[in-house]
Amino acid sequence: MLFSSAGLGKAQETASPSPIQPSNTNFDRTSTTPSSQQTDSEAPTISKIPSVKSINPKNFYISIPQSWLIQEDVSRYKDEKVDVIVVGENFPQQDNSPTNKIDIKIGKTPNIVTTTATEVTEDGKAIFASFSNKQLKQLSRGTHPVNIEVGGKATNIDRQVIDDELQVKVIRPVSGLTTLIVLGLATICVVLLVLIIYLLAMQAKKANLPNIFLQKNRNNLNTFQWLILDRKTNTLSLAHAQFVWWLTIIVFGYLFLFIGRGAIQGVWEFVPLSGFGYTFLISLATLVTAQATSEIRGSKGAGEVHPAWSDLVVHGGVLALERVQQVVWNIIIGIAFIVILLVTYTTASSLPTIPTELLALMGISAGGYIGGKAVRKAGANINQVVLYAPSNDSPDYISIAGANFSLGGKILNSEGQEVINTQIRDAGVIIQLVYLDSKTREEIPNTLVEVKKDDIITMKTDPDAPMEFCRRLKIPLKNLRGLPTEDWLAKFTAHFDSREVKITIINADGQRAVWDGSIIAPERETPPPAVESNSATELQTSESFN
């Protein structure tokens, strides 16, 4: 108004005594002698539109733990606050007028935190405000946009200002209870998926188990062991185990990060895999290649009767170092992935990235495992054991059927006569016979009999490798050498009828298969007829229905 009064006085000194016409006043808006009240009010309004350039600080360090679903007591943080400065142009002075009220808003709808400016500099180029602890606890971790409103209207943004200048990054801890909630929800989801698989597996399991299989000395397997069981060898498969291991890690990690990002950062969207698909590809390729190698080269030896975790590092009862390194690296990388995920999930935007060097190491490790399967010989697997014993007489012989047995020292010629086996290229097969304690099912001391290859007859060679393997062996018992006691055969027969024996086949390369009568299933091949036998006791085993 001072400017208008001065201009008006000067105009009165130089102008004619006639009244000033409104048309003259409106005609020249750039004149130094404006007299119109409308011109006097409009010009300052246009030139004083507030604009924003930046906000400081850019990072909000808040010590109040962020909670989700269950709010924790934050009374001990009642004195915490964050002071901010917003730089711009033409901010009006605060005079309790609604049109001059300046609001600073942080966040996106519906999670917006608002505070009011408490002070404006004299030149109108900066404003000051504070966020209290009640407002700060509503800010979630992550980056949030900043908006300034004057009188309920948005301000202009300087054209030279980049987006980062009008954003703040909230850095605050996450309460331990919230982490447990996220971890629990992710675990529940995984458990539900496992439960579905378990129910499907149990249906398949019940559909394939004969009633005779329900016996007291049967070793039950849990669902995970059932999933990774190799039915051909009755052992836990390393290829299956590493695939299930990484599948579980990926599913759990994805669900955990998806829930965590939504709960902590407010971002409910698909989580990028961050190249983790390559890890799953390596795992899947290892599984498929291992199965193909087993089909081409033959399966590994069965080892002990019941599946055990040691099956992951042994090949037919023999420790295989290529399996050891595969297990070690998969465990190390998998655990490291879970730890990184748990530590960084509050700020992560994708699953942890496995370095290229580690991916290459996983590929090399898998290649070593597959290479070991390819160069090793197939191992023995027992499918059927038959003890032929005439009535009221000592047993005649034992017939053992299966796959990948080393050759016996004798073989049947075309006329059915036993002759020396000249086709053996290695040390041949060894078979151990022992009977077990009925209560503990442990070997009874001094009852082990080891049958050498010279006393073992090859009944049926393997058509795919007739010079190396056979499918059926026969052990004559009439003149068996090395019996510990005279009544050993009679006791062995009695224990055999009670399924309290252990028969071990040891191949030339050390791989073995053990049978104790606890795995019962229909055999698909009819055993040879008994010679001079009135009766036969037969126990069979097949593709492991544990």
Side-chain angles (χ1 to χ4, degrees):
M1 293 301 293
L2 181 61
F3 175 83
S4 301
S5 300
L8 181 58
K10 185 176 180 180
Q12 290 175 346
E13 292 177 358
T14 59
S16 61
S18 60
I20 299 175
Q21 299 296 326
S23 60
N24 294 337
T25 303
N26 295 334
F27 175 78
D28 188 3
R29 292 181 180 273
T30 61
S31 172
T32 59
T33 61
S35 59
S36 170
Q37 183 65 31
Q38 180 179 1
T39 302
D40 182 48
S41 61
E42 287 183 356
T45 302
I46 296 175
S47 62
K48 291 187 177 181
I49 297 178
S51 62
V52 182
K53 292 183 178 179
S54 65
I55 183 172
N56 286 294
K58 296 290 189 302
N59 296 327
F60 281 18
Y61 294 95
I62 305 173
S63 58
I64 304 174
Q66 181 173 340
S67 302
W68 184 58
L69 294 182
I70 300 177
Q71 298 298 322
E72 298 187 16
D73 182 18
V74 295
S75 58
R76 62 182 180 276
Y77 305 100
K78 61 182 180 179
D79 296 329
E80 183 166 354
K81 67 176 183 176
V82 173
D83 297 325
V84 298
I85 302 175
V86 179
V87 179
E89 297 285 347
N90 304 322
F91 291 119
Q93 296 295 324
Q94 299 301 283
D95 55 4
N96 295 326
S97 173
T99 58
N100 291 335
K101 180 182 178 183
I102 303 176
D103 292 329
I104 303 174
K105 298 184 176 183
I106 298 178
K108 297 180 181 180
T109 305
N111 301 316
I112 296 179
V113 177
T114 304
T115 190
T116 303
T118 57
E119 187 179 350
V120 181
T121 58
E122 293 183 359
D123 57 5
K125 292 185 177 181
I127 58 177
F128 301 88
S130 295
F131 287 90
S132 66
N133 70 321
K134 292 184 179 181
Q135 295 168 328
L136 293 175
K137 73 177 184 179
Q138 300 178 36
L139 289 174
S140 61
R141 295 172 59 101
T143 303
H144 303 277
V146 177
N147 294 296
I148 312 298
E149 294 183 358
V150 177
K153 298 180 180 179
T155 57
N156 287 345
I157 300 177
D158 195 305
R159 294 182 179 180
Q160 297 180 352
V161 175
I162 58 178
D163 292 340
D164 292 344
E165 294 294 328
L166 293 178
Q167 291 182 344
V168 294
K169 184 178 182 180
V170 176
I171 303 172
R172 60 184 296 193
V174 176
S175 69
L177 181 58
T178 297
T179 300
L180 289 177
I181 292 174
V182 174
L183 182 63
L185 290 176
T187 303
I188 290 174
C189 293
V190 173
V191 169
L192 289 176
L193 292 175
V194 172
L195 180 61
I196 294 174
I197 297 174
Y198 173 79
L199 294 176
L200 295 175
M202 289 303 297
Q203 289 294 328
K205 189 175 180 181
K206 292 178 180 179
N208 288 279
L209 281 177
N211 293 331
I212 192 175
F213 188 66
L214 301 175
Q215 52 183 311
K216 63 181 181 179
N217 60 344
R218 172 180 158 235
N219 187 30
N220 288 306
L221 299 180
N222 57 44
T223 302
F224 182 74
Q225 290 176 317
W226 178 262
L227 288 175
I228 66 176
L229 186 69
D230 183 355
R231 272 52 174 190
K232 290 184 177 180
T233 62
N234 189 36
T235 60
L236 302 184
S237 167
L238 177 56
H240 294 177
Q242 61 87 31
F243 178 77
V244 174
W245 167 255
W246 282 111
L247 179 62
T248 304
I249 288 177
I250 294 175
V251 171
F252 171 80
Y254 193 93
L255 291 173
F256 180 80
L257 187 56
F258 175 78
I259 298 173
R261 288 185 73 199
I264 306 304
Q265 304 178 34
V267 180
W268 294 98
E269 60 184 27
F270 286 109
V271 178
L273 291 177
S274 186
F276 215 82
Y278 295 112
T279 305
F280 187 70
L281 179 62
I282 292 174
S283 176
L284 182 60
T286 302
L287 172 64
V288 175
T289 307
Q291 292 177 335
T293 304
S294 296
E295 290 297 325
I296 296 173
R297 288 287 297 165
S299 58
K300 70 174 183 177
E304 292 299 324
V305 177
H306 300 298
W309 292 111
S310 59
D311 294 337
L312 301 180
V313 294
V314 298
H315 191 102
V318 180
L319 183 66
L321 293 181
E322 70 274 7
R323 288 174 166 267
V324 173
Q325 60 85 28
Q326 171 77 341
V327 170
V328 169
W329 282 118
N330 274 278
I331 292 177
I332 290 176
I333 298 175
I335 293 178
F337 171 84
I338 293 297
V339 171
I340 294 173
L341 179 67
L342 294 176
V343 172
T344 63
Y345 85 97
T346 56
T347 58
S349 59
S350 63
L351 291 175
T353 301
I354 297 181
T356 305
E357 294 83 357
L358 276 182
L359 288 176
L361 181 61
M362 289 181 63
I364 295 173
S365 176
Y369 162 59
I370 298 300
K373 289 180 67 68
V375 299
R376 289 181 182 273
K377 291 183 178 181
N381 289 276
I382 301 175
N383 292 336
Q384 181 188 61
V385 177
V386 181
L387 174 65
Y388 289 92
S391 300
N392 301 323
D393 199 353
S394 60
D396 189 10
Y397 65 87
I398 294 176
S399 172
I400 304 175
N404 306 321
F405 301 150
S406 289
L407 300 177
K410 297 180 181 179
I411 192 172
L412 296 179
N413 59 16
S414 57
E415 298 177 357
Q417 298 176 343
E418 299 177 4
V419 295
I420 301 297
N421 189 355
T422 59
Q423 299 178 350
I424 297 181
R425 295 182 178 180
D426 49 35
V429 67
I430 295 176
I431 300 178
Q432 295 178 341
L433 309 174
V434 64
Y435 47 85
L436 309 176
D437 185 272
S438 58
K439 296 181 179 179
T440 64
R441 293 197 60 80
E442 298 292 334
E443 296 182 10
I444 299 177
N446 303 321
T447 62
L448 176 66
V449 173
E450 187 170 275
V451 184
K452 304 296 184 181
K453 69 172 183 178
D454 294 336
D455 296 325
I456 301 173
I457 303 171
T458 300
M459 302 289 291
K460 182 179 180 181
T461 58
D462 190 331
D464 297 327
M467 309 292 288
E468 198 171 25
F469 295 120
C470 66
R471 294 184 176 179
R472 187 179 293 276
L473 294 171
K474 175 182 176 181
I475 306 174
L477 299 177
K478 291 290 187 181
N479 299 314
L480 192 62
R481 294 173 292 183
L483 299 182
T485 60
E486 294 182 357
D487 59 347
W488 184 90
L489 281 178
K491 291 182 177 180
F492 182 84
T493 302
H495 282 272
F496 190 95
D497 293 338
S498 302
R499 301 170 187 171
E500 297 168 356
V501 299
K502 181 182 289 186
I503 299 176
T504 304
I505 291 183
I506 305 175
N507 276 1
D509 62 351
Q511 294 193 66
R512 63 185 60 203
V514 181
W515 180 90
D516 66 353
S518 63
I519 307 173
I520 309 300
E523 173 59 31
R524 292 158 178 79
E525 182 177 353
T526 304
V531 178
E532 298 179 359
S533 300
N534 298 324
S535 64
T537 302
E538 177 180 344
L539 294 181
Q540 305 171 354
T541 179
S542 181
E543 300 174 355
S544 167
F545 290 92
N546 282 59

